Amino acid sequence: MTTVYTKPACVQCDMTKRYMDKNGISYNTVDITEDPAALDMIMGMGFSSAPVVITENDSWAGFQPDKLRLLAA
């Protein structure tokens, strides 16, 4: 399952979730402003901006249509 680590009022987070919804990609969301352990985890992975998308085979930060297209395929 794909997880999107997000925060409120985040344009790239909203664009990522909108793309995933439109293309039928199933995902869970975690609000990093309400889950300090999740924030610590993604920061420990080297990420410093939202959203962070973690799939079974990949992870990235920001709105990345190319990676989302591969995920939808």
Side-chain angles (χ1 to χ4, degrees), residues 27-46:
Y27 63 95
N28 294 320
T29 58
V30 177
D31 184 338
I32 57 175
T33 65
E34 295 185 7
D35 189 337
L39 177 59
D40 289 344
M41 182 195 76
I42 63 170
M43 289 183 72
M45 295 172 69

Side-chain angles (χ1 to χ4, degrees), residues 3-61:
T3 303
V4 180
Y5 294 87
T6 186
K7 63 182 184 176
C10 169
V11 173
Q12 290 193 45
C13 300
D14 293 340
M15 290 170 58
T16 297
K17 293 185 289 184
R18 195 171 318 133
Y19 185 99
M20 294 173 86
D21 290 341
K22 182 178 177 182
N23 290 280
I25 302 169
S26 298
Y27 63 95
N28 294 320
T29 58
V30 177
D31 184 338
I32 57 175
T33 65
E34 295 185 7
D35 189 337
L39 177 59
D40 289 344
M41 182 195 76
I42 63 170
M43 289 183 72
M45 295 172 69
F47 295 112
S48 59
S49 62
V52 172
V53 179
I54 299 179
T55 71
E56 289 182 24
N57 303 314
D58 201 3
S59 59
W60 67 85

